[in-house]
């Protein structure tokens, strides 16, 4: 499995000299069976998907985009994904199901005037929408397990498996919410089944311990809690993700080093930087 | 045991912060969590490893109607909330492990997800005569 990070920032895109190394684009991850193919799978459509779109435009014939939830930082790049404007491309868009409104209606809130000039229905690509529930489905050679996780509003995480390995993506997640001592027993830990023994876990690592004190309930994890979650799940590799827009490159390096000194994980830990590539196995 | 749904996890989290006695029963009719207030109320230490089946509920506490007659839990409002997946209320005598009978009010709320999946019920109960000192912030 080939994996590339196109956006690792949370909440809001941020550009400037202080975010050059980690990047400023919001959540977007590419995964494929092979590095070069005409079929691309994508996790989230944050602002990072714009550059991915330019990279694959005129090459791909199918794109499957799996949205974890519909907060703006995860869908704001959608209208700028070039293949959506190509009538020869089949685009499958997956998002968490809701009982109040259809996925189409929810996405249209953003992809319609006055917030966006083009209506979802007017996009030239061959668009198919799929509501995601807790359960399993397949996309090509990938088996996808989805489940609802602890984050405000309907939000899912994805466990993606192929013959070459398993990658778990939980971009927005606060499994420590309300726990007096984290982590709890695995059965009582949000997202555990998704992450269990994954080869690579991409996980929310937005806050420092100090910041979390005033932001509990906002739906995000500290770097320390994310590492503890990964340890509980016995993953083989871990990537920090969904960095706070206020954190500079220098601070992110420092925060990760501090968390590693406390948790002392035995698995490999990678700082989630825009442009990073991973291969499974 | 298996991974609990996010709805059960969040109910456990919130009830663990409450002074109102509460326990959670999952869809397979097992008590999977009691908060500290409930443990104190029924004089029973609920270990995290334990999950009590419906058949064993009576080992933890007995309930009676307000006339003092023992009743089967399956005839109670708790169980009808479970079966009908509706909010119910009831008034009973509760006989916990220490034998001290208390009149209680019980409110049972079904845990139904936004996608209409039934995960169990959360049961709140309190002494019918007790009054708590409440600080208002």
């Amino acid at each position: 499995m080939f994996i590339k990070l196109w956006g690792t920032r949370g909440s809001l895109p941020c550009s400037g000299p202080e975010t050059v190394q980690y990047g400023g684009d919001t959540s977007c991850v590419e995964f494929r069976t092979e590095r070069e193919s005409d079929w691309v799978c994508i996790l989230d459509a944050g602002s990072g998907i714009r550059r991915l779109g330019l990279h694959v435009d005129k090459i791909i014939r199918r794109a499957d985009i799996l949205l974890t939830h519909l907060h703006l930082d995860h869908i704001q790049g959608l209208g700028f994904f070039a293949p959506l404007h190509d009538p020869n491309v089949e685009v499958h868009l997956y998002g968490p199901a809701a009982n109040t409104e259809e996925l189409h209606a929810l996405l249209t809130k953003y992809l319609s005037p006055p917030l966006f000039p083009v209506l979802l229905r007017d996009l030239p690509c061959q668009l198919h929408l799929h509501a995601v529930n807790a359960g399993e489905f397949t996309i090509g050679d990938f088996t996808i397990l989805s489940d609802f996780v602890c984050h405000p509003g309907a939000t899912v995480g994805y466990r993606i498996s192929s013959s070459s390995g398993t990658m778990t993506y939980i971009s927005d997640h606060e499994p420590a919410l309300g726990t007096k001592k984290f982590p709890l027993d695995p059965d009582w830990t949000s997202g555990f089944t998704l992450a269990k023994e994954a080869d690579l876990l991409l996980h929310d690592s937005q806050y420092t311990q100090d910041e979390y004190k005033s932001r509990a309930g906002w739906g995000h994890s500290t770097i320390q809690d994310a590492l503890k979650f990964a340890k509980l799940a016995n993953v083989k590799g871990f990537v920090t993700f969904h960095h706070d827009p206020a954190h500079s490159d220098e601070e992110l390096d420092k925060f990760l080093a501090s968390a590693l000194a406390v948790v002392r994980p035995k698995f490999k830990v990678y700082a989630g930087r825009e442009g990073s590539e991973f291969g499974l196995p | 045991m298996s991974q609990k749904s996010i709805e059960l996890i969040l109910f456990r989290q919130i009830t663990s912060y409450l002074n109102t006695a509460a326990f959670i029963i999952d869809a397979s009719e097992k008590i999977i969590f009691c908060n500290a207030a409930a443990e104190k109320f029924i004089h029973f230490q609920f270990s995290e490893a334990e999950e009590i089946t419906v058949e064993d509920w009576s080992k933890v506490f007995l309930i009676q109607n307000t006339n003092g007659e023992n009743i089967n839990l399956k005839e109670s409002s708790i169980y009808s909330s479970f079966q009908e997946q509706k909010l119910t209320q009831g008034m009973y005598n509760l006989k916990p492990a220490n034998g001290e009978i208390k009149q209680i009010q019980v409110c049972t709320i079904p845990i139904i997800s936004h996608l209409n999946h039934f995960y169990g019920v959360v049961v709140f109960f309190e002494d019918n005569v007790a009054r708590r000192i409440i600080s208002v912030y």
Side-chain angles (χ1 to χ4, degrees), chain A residues 139-152:
Chain A
I139 298 174
D141 293 334
F142 296 110
T143 300
I144 319 279
L145 175 68
S146 61
D147 198 7
F148 292 98
V149 295
C150 189
H151 185 71

Side-chain angles (χ1 to χ4, degrees), chain A residues 29-47:
Chain A
V29 175
E30 169 191 7
F31 67 98
R32 312 192 201 201
T33 46
E34 296 164 32
R35 192 186 182 99
E36 301 297 333
S37 67
D38 63 359
W39 188 350
V40 65
C41 297
I42 302 163
L43 291 157
D44 278 328
S47 62

Side-chain angles (χ1 to χ4, degrees), chain A residues 175-176 178-185 189 225 228, chain B residues 12 17 48:
Chain A
T179 57
K180 291 173 176 98
K181 189 173 185 296
F182 184 76
L184 298 174
D185 180 88
T189 302
D225 285 343
K228 287 178 186 172
Chain B
R12 171 185 158 145
Y17 278 87
E48 284 196 11

